[in-house]
Amino acid sequence: MKGLVELALLGTGRGADGDARTGTRVDALVAAATVESAEWRLLLAAGAEAVYRQAGIPPFTSVAPPAPARSETRPACSPRAAAALREVLREHRELLPQALERLAQMGQRLAPALLPEVLALKSLELRDALVPVLGERGVWLAEQNSEWAWVLARAQDDTAERARRWEEGHAAERLAALRREREVSPGRARSWLEGVWKQEKADQRATFLEALEVGLKPTDEPFLEGALDDRSQAVRAAASALLGRLPESRLARRMRERVDALMSFTPPATTDGSLWGVVKARLHGESPAGVLHVEPPASLPREWERDGITARPRQGLGERAHWLVELVARVAPSQFEERFGATPAQLVRAAAASEWSLALALGWSQSVVASPSPGWAEPLWDFWLEAPAALTQVEGAPASFYLHALLAHMPEARAEERALQLLERAGPRPVSLHAVVKALPGPWSPGTAERYLKALARRLAGTAADAFAWQASLDPAALALPLASIPHALALIEDAEPARLEHGWARALHTFESTLRLRQRLHEEIAP
Amino acid sequence: MSLTVDQILALAPDASALSAAKKVGTPASWSGLGRSAGALWGECKGRATYQVRVDLSDFATRCSCPSRKFPCKHALGLLLLSASHPAAVPEGSTPAWVEEWLGKRSAAAARRDEKKAERAEVPVDAAAQARRAEKRLERVMEGLDALELWLRDLVRNGLAGLEAQGPKPFETQAARMVDAQAPGIASRLRRLAQLPGSRSDWPQRLLGELGRLALLVHAYRRGDALGPELLADVRQLLGFTVPQEEVAAQGERVADDWLVLGQWVDDEERVQVQRSWLRGVSTGRSALLLQFSAAGTPFPEAFVPGTHFEAELAFYPGALPLRALVRERRSDAKGWSGSLPGAPDVEAFLAEVAVSTARLPWLERLPCSLRSVATVRHEAQGWCVVDGKGTTLPLLGDSHWRLLALSGGAPVDVSGEWDGERLRVLGAVIDGRYEVLWGTER
């Protein structure tokens, strides 16, 4: 046949003479046909040969039949649960973490038909949640496709596997391996990083260095101190931030000395709390919160810069204020309590009255978000809520950022209370309701859920100017409302008669409803 | 019977109807829900309240909404609801508005049959018809002569040059064949347009296809020598259509319990072509039901993969009669359970391929159902199914991942269509239940 194909490719007109032969029984048939044109004969022969080949396709034999999947240890979810899960996969991905968690809790696994779709998921967090519910079938299936090898790697969570991923994986995998190894053996993880330090690009070095926040220990100090002399600004800043969180590090000590040199605190005069004390303080013009005296340097000292404090401020902040932020952020907030003998609330209040209020609040807020600092999140949140908008016009909109970021660092009930205050408040808010509601971990307490729904009902009844802000809060709320509150929410939607509402409510409520119903279905269908 | 979600998905006219259907597929959107042995019904609250009915015997639907999609989102929603919340659709006595529609449907079917019979009896102007036929014959013959010249030129100048020319030469030639009233040839040519350069073995494949085209021309010119059946095939391949009435009246009739083995939809030039492959449970006959849809219009009838129904089919004439139409349905569609009627092993199926190809050399596709095959990767062939004797059949597309997931490597019955080189798996029986295997992308 190759002869025929070559002849046809080249063209019979190019001198390539030769009779059209296939070397099969077809040739006899073609010979018997009375056809004058050589080209036509070639075509007929090729056609007959194609038919001949199709009819006589030879059976192939396989190398070896595959070993079937091992038998399962946990039951598959019901077909109806599988249908609900498929809806989650196709249209409500945001529910996937909850659904997988529920499945794992019930000791069940995914229906096999869902496996190819979930194995193709890329998110590392989802993959972690998937491993327990893949079942033997999922692991077996992953063995058949090299693109799904992540399952096997995760199932086999040991140092050797992590070392392999650290050495061979792509950036996200390497980072995940490094962070995981930090949990198990911080010293070894650090030595991995030291081993490749010189070869990595600057932004990679900074990202990997930040991973040392996991299991951060005084023994990391020499390496971090070395990184302070790195060429890259981002690396120096990351090293400096980590050292600031090691209270016994030399850098932290230097920072504390700097704070001592330029900050002092006059406690409120009325330490006895008596009425007379208050009056006396007022008479002397003293604040009941105490006074913070702050005097940032006029120019950036060379040693500060070496310690990772950047010279240039971000937009909206003066140079001196910026240096102060950087300094304060590198001292654990508890150190301020200790040094000035005051509570976080007192210090934040005193800061609010000072000329440097924004810089102090920024510095402390950065610390609180980066590492646990009990007692600080609430006063700082209050500061950001009450701060005049003109004051917080800084790049990165700190008020709106910290008003939701700090919620995650408060006791749950306090966070819920503060978020509700914002929700129930009329008029413009310095932060999006979406971000606030999203920051509250679900499921909410019943009381919070009821208050949220009541506030929602009020918005639906009136013609609220903040309709869009409220609608944006529905998405995160649909994920976090406790199951017991869902019927109430559904009744509320029904009463609202979405079709009659304006300002996009119909669509928003429809999505809200379908998410809630799907959650109910998941709960009912994924059951013992 | 109740359909699985996959089977319902297969009924949807397009993705947007489907996602709209999911939105109304919750109990809250409905009132007056109910079901009987033969029907589902309910009232759906949208902008207005719509009355929705589904005839379970053939999954025909009717809704009072103004949508031009069919089935509309309400009807699909009702089906989805009955699958996901069976308790929400309780058994009940059929309301008058549903009864009335079911009655009208059966009356309409009876009328259609009568009309068909009448039309078959209407005397035609035989002389005029013969003149038209002769005229067309002339044009086709001229067209085929031109086609031969073009094909010979291609071979004389060498196929290698085609790679640089793109689809243009094929499209031009296809347009000529449309003018010559040989649309069958035109669509064959259009299918070849993308072939040059598309895969490493394109020259061999293209030459084979051009060769078959030459054989078709050759065969048509020597029609007298072919025998009536093969001539009927050749005429249909050129694009002479056989009227449905003629098939219904004169075609070979086979009554059986017909299982829908699988279904596939191809997009062709703004037209969607749906192929439903059927297998007669007692006769073992294969049948192909073709339906067409232009611009999102519905396929006229619902054939749900994994269901079976008793019916009399009428076959189009040919040496290997596969294409058929449903002349009369004699029972409701029911869900299939248990193993599939089919070839016991790959060799038996390949023998069937050989016989079928011998009877119809232009055979494009053949339905395939295989008992007890596992899924395996073959070094040379890629993904395959393998039977108990270790013989493999290569697979088309990527449905093997779902097949693997569902079977876990254990042998299962599969069904699909064979395109002469590879098998496209369309369904499989897992734990006694038919699962649709295409449609992961829908």
Side-chain angles (χ1 to χ4, degrees):
Chain A
M1 180 61 185
K2 205 163 181 205
L4 270 195
V5 177
E6 275 163 5
L7 203 57
L9 265 180
L10 208 59
T12 53
R14 316 238 160 147
D17 196 26
D19 212 6
R21 291 198 154 273
T22 65
T24 65
R25 290 207 229 163
V26 166
D27 291 340
L29 279 173
V30 178
T34 45
V35 179
E36 280 166 28
S37 150
E39 290 83 31
W40 196 241
R41 195 157 54 235
L42 186 148
L43 280 164
L44 292 178
E49 205 270 349
V51 174
Y52 176 84
R53 200 156 18 97
Q54 180 181 317
I57 191 163
F60 282 84
T61 38
S62 144
V63 261
R70 291 164 290 275
S71 52
E72 299 287 351
T73 49
R74 38 167 79 194
C77 64
S78 70
R80 302 231 304 260
L85 282 163
R86 180 161 43 193
E87 226 171 299
V88 170
L89 271 170
R90 306 239 167 117
E91 280 155 37
H92 286 278
R93 280 277 166 93
E94 73 280 7
L95 284 177
L96 199 52
Q98 286 188 13
L100 294 175
E101 195 190 331
R102 171 91 181 153
L103 209 54
Q105 274 171 2
M106 293 295 124
Q108 298 178 7
R109 64 185 158 88
L110 288 162
L114 298 167
L115 291 171
E117 253 168 288
V118 300
L119 289 173
L121 291 172
K122 297 274 183 272
S123 142
L124 295 177
E125 291 83 38
L126 282 177
R127 285 178 172 188
D128 284 334
L130 275 170
V131 169
V133 295
L134 289 174
E136 293 293 342
R137 181 71 55 91
V139 177
W140 176 87
L141 193 61
E143 285 167 7
Q144 319 292 322
N145 186 340
S146 58
E147 280 176 31
W148 299 338
W150 61 266
V151 174
L152 315 175
R154 267 187 183 56
Q156 186 191 350
D157 179 34
D158 56 30
T159 296
E161 173 54 31
R162 283 193 290 276
R164 189 194 64 73
R165 273 189 283 156
W166 167 249
E167 278 154 25
E168 299 168 11
H170 55 77
E173 273 181 329
R174 297 184 63 196
L175 182 62
L178 184 66
R179 291 184 74 100
R180 177 82 186 97
E181 189 65 17
R182 276 293 280 188
E183 289 169 12
V184 181
S185 165
R188 182 158 49 220
R190 193 184 60 240
S191 71
W192 285 358
L193 187 53
E194 282 170 322
V196 298
W197 191 244
K198 294 245 154 54
Q199 294 116 268
E200 301 291 341
K201 288 202 183 108
D203 53 341
Q204 285 288 356
R205 285 203 304 276
T207 317
F208 289 146
L209 194 67
E210 278 165 14
L212 296 191
E213 70 172 349
V214 181
L216 188 65
K217 290 226 163 44
T219 46
D220 294 321
E221 192 188 353
F223 177 60
L224 291 171
E225 189 78 25
L228 283 177
D229 294 319
D230 198 275
R231 289 189 304 279
S232 151
Q233 165 68 48
V235 174
R236 290 200 301 273
S240 162
L242 288 174
L243 285 166
R245 286 165 52 189
L246 284 172
E248 294 315 310
S249 71
R250 278 163 291 167
L251 180 134
R253 241 173 291 158
R254 291 195 290 275
M255 293 292 177
R256 279 203 295 279
E257 282 158 17
R258 286 164 194 156
V259 164
D260 286 345
L262 56 85
M263 279 176 75
S264 64
F265 179 68
T266 310
T270 56
T271 40
D272 58 358
S274 71
L275 183 61
W276 173 236
V278 176
V279 174
K280 196 170 72 178
R282 283 281 152 80
L283 283 175
H284 288 82
E286 284 169 356
S287 156
V291 180
L292 266 174
H293 308 276
V294 186
E295 194 58 43
S299 61
L300 183 61
R302 181 64 57 77
E303 321 85 73
W304 286 37
E305 213 172 342
R306 194 260 166 186
D307 280 346
I309 291 179
T310 52
R312 283 178 15 150
R314 46 179 164 176
Q315 199 146 18
L317 215 57
E319 280 189 337
R320 297 176 70 203
H322 169 69
W323 301 331
L324 182 62
V325 174
E326 296 276 291
L327 174 66
V328 170
R330 281 169 178 76
V331 174
S334 61
Q335 293 288 336
F336 289 90
E337 297 172 53
E338 229 168 83
R339 289 189 125 56
F340 299 138
T343 63
Q346 283 173 322
L347 287 170
V348 173
R349 240 182 308 157
S354 106
E355 185 190 347
W356 301 98
S357 59
L358 177 62
L360 292 167
L362 274 173
W364 282 329
S365 298
Q366 277 180 26
S367 292
V368 172
V369 173
S371 65
S373 315
W376 282 85
E378 293 176 66
L380 283 170
W381 192 91
D382 296 339
F383 169 86
W384 290 116
L385 184 66
E386 280 147 30
L391 180 69
T392 60
Q393 296 292 319
V394 183
E395 190 186 352
S400 65
F401 173 74
Y402 288 116
L403 279 173
H404 65 85
L406 287 168
L407 289 175
H409 299 272
M410 296 178 200
E412 218 164 285
R414 299 295 186 75
E416 289 183 354
E417 179 58 39
R418 282 191 157 72
L420 286 166
Q421 275 176 27
L422 260 184
L423 285 167
E424 286 160 351
R425 176 173 154 144
R429 302 179 188 82
V431 56
S432 87
L433 290 186
H434 174 86
V436 168
V437 170
K438 198 176 169 188
L440 296 181
W444 297 342
S445 67
T448 300
E450 289 313 295
R451 271 175 72 183
Y452 175 83
L453 291 174
K454 245 184 222 153
L456 174 61
R458 274 200 299 279
R459 283 302 179 292
L460 290 172
T463 49
D466 57 355
F468 292 117
W470 262 88
Q471 286 159 20
S473 82
L474 292 177
D475 285 348
L479 299 181
L481 280 170
L483 278 160
S485 301
I486 292 182
H488 180 184
L490 293 175
L492 195 149
I493 296 167
E494 188 146 334
D495 289 347
E497 294 184 66
R500 292 216 189 133
L501 291 164
E502 288 172 358
H503 307 301
W505 274 111
R507 178 181 282 268
L509 286 179
H510 188 92
T511 314
F512 188 49
E513 181 187 353
S514 69
T515 311
L516 291 174
R517 287 198 189 279
L518 189 53
R519 277 185 63 202
Q520 275 185 323
R521 245 175 89 199
L522 285 168
H523 188 81
E524 284 160 22
E525 303 294 3
I526 306 175
Chain B
M1 65 159 296
S2 65
L3 298 179
T4 66
V5 174
D6 270 322
Q7 287 169 328
I8 296 164
L9 301 192
L11 291 175
D14 57 39
S16 77
L18 193 60
S19 72
K22 283 185 181 158
K23 286 185 185 136
V24 298
T26 55
S29 315
W30 295 83
S31 60
L33 285 164
R35 73 167 90 213
S36 68
L40 290 176
W41 59 87
E43 292 181 324
C44 186
K45 287 173 286 182
R47 259 171 223 294
T49 297
Y50 299 118
Q51 295 185 316
V52 191
R53 315 144 245 225
V54 177
D55 185 340
L56 289 175
S57 65
D58 58 358
F59 303 105
T61 63
R62 168 68 196 246
C63 176
S64 56
C65 80
S67 169
R68 277 189 304 268
K69 282 185 183 169
F70 187 87
C72 69
K73 63 177 180 179
H74 307 107
L76 286 170
L78 180 56
L79 280 163
L80 283 172
L81 182 68
S82 74
S84 59
H85 297 81
V89 191
E91 293 269 349
S93 61
T94 321
W97 54 276
V98 179
E99 200 68 76
E100 190 187 345
W101 173 66
L102 291 172
K104 267 191 202 154
R105 284 204 78 216
S106 51
R111 253 201 322 280
R112 236 184 350 259
D113 288 346
E114 268 170 39
K115 265 218 185 107
K116 269 186 202 166
E118 274 171 30
R119 222 176 309 160
E121 285 162 17
V122 171
V124 284
D125 181 351
Q129 215 174 33
R131 270 198 307 281
R132 277 201 302 278
E134 200 167 320
K135 193 104 190 265
R136 178 169 185 189
L137 215 62
E138 257 170 51
R139 296 181 89 165
V140 171
M141 278 301 189
E142 281 169 24
L144 295 185
D145 288 347
L147 179 70
E148 177 178 346
L149 282 181
W150 181 71
L151 285 170
R152 281 163 53 178
D153 276 351
L154 276 186
V155 174
R156 188 170 314 112
N157 296 328
L159 300 181
L162 285 172
E163 196 170 352
Q165 293 178 47
K168 190 85 182 144
F170 291 95
E171 279 163 8
T172 314
Q173 200 60 32
R176 269 188 213 147
M177 288 300 116
V178 171
D179 292 343
Q181 293 190 302
I185 304 257
S187 67
R188 278 179 105 87
L189 284 167
R190 266 189 232 107
R191 280 204 296 272
L192 298 182
Q194 303 299 332
L195 197 52
S198 66
R199 39 193 272 185
S200 62
D201 65 345
W202 73 264
Q204 182 179 4
R205 215 175 139 73
L206 179 65
L207 181 61
E209 288 304 316
L210 294 177
R212 285 177 175 223
L213 209 52
L215 280 181
L216 194 57
V217 174
H218 192 69
Y220 184 62
R221 287 179 180 152
R222 304 181 60 234
D224 305 341
L226 291 181
E229 282 94 13
L230 195 55
L231 181 59
D233 280 313
V234 168
R235 284 175 54 86
Q236 287 171 75
L237 286 163
L238 287 181
F240 290 95
T241 50
V242 185
Q244 293 201 359
E245 297 79 31
E246 195 180 311
V247 176
Q250 296 163 26
E252 181 196 4
R253 296 179 195 177
V254 180
D256 203 339
D257 185 10
W258 295 95
L259 163 64
V260 185
L261 280 179
Q263 194 174 69
W264 184 259
V265 178
D266 262 339
D267 286 312
E268 277 181 16
E269 307 259 308
R270 276 165 285 149
V271 178
Q272 288 197 310
V273 183
Q274 182 200 61
R275 298 192 290 273
S276 304
W277 295 101
L278 270 52
R279 173 75 38 96
V281 175
S282 44
T283 59
R285 280 285 292 260
S286 297
L288 168 63
L289 302 180
L290 282 182
Q291 297 197 96
F292 303 91
S293 146
T297 56
F299 292 113
E301 274 190 88
F303 301 108
V304 181
T307 64
H308 61 122
F309 55 95
E310 281 174 41
E312 186 178 70
L313 301 191
F315 284 83
Y316 284 69
L320 183 74
L322 272 177
R323 188 173 171 198
L325 47 85
V326 178
R327 210 176 160 276
E328 189 189 344
R329 272 187 197 254
R330 293 180 178 168
S331 81
D332 291 353
K334 294 180 276 289
W336 182 261
S337 57
S339 67
L340 293 175
D345 57 27
V346 171
E347 229 179 315
F349 173 67
L350 288 179
E352 197 186 313
V353 169
V355 171
S356 306
T357 311
R359 283 167 70 182
L360 180 62
W362 296 276
L363 181 69
E364 283 184 69
R365 291 180 196 89
L366 206 57
C368 169
S369 63
L370 279 169
R371 297 253 181 83
S372 283
V373 287
T375 314
V376 63
R377 200 181 162 77
H378 187 282
E379 239 168 88
Q381 292 177 298
W383 285 96
C384 295
V385 285
V386 58
D387 65 14
K389 294 179 183 163
T391 313
T392 61
L393 205 58
L395 297 178
L396 180 69
D398 64 354
S399 54
H400 55 267
W401 291 120
R402 281 195 75 194
L403 184 55
L404 274 171
L406 287 165
S407 67
V412 296
D413 293 359
V414 301
S415 64
E417 58 179 21
W418 174 253
D419 73 350
E421 285 190 344
R422 290 178 170 272
L423 174 67
R424 189 200 300 278
V425 177
L426 300 173
V429 174
I430 309 291
D431 299 328
R433 198 181 153 83
Y434 181 98
E435 300 272 353
V436 180
L437 278 181
W438 70 282
T440 38
E441 64 282 348
R442 283 185 58 159

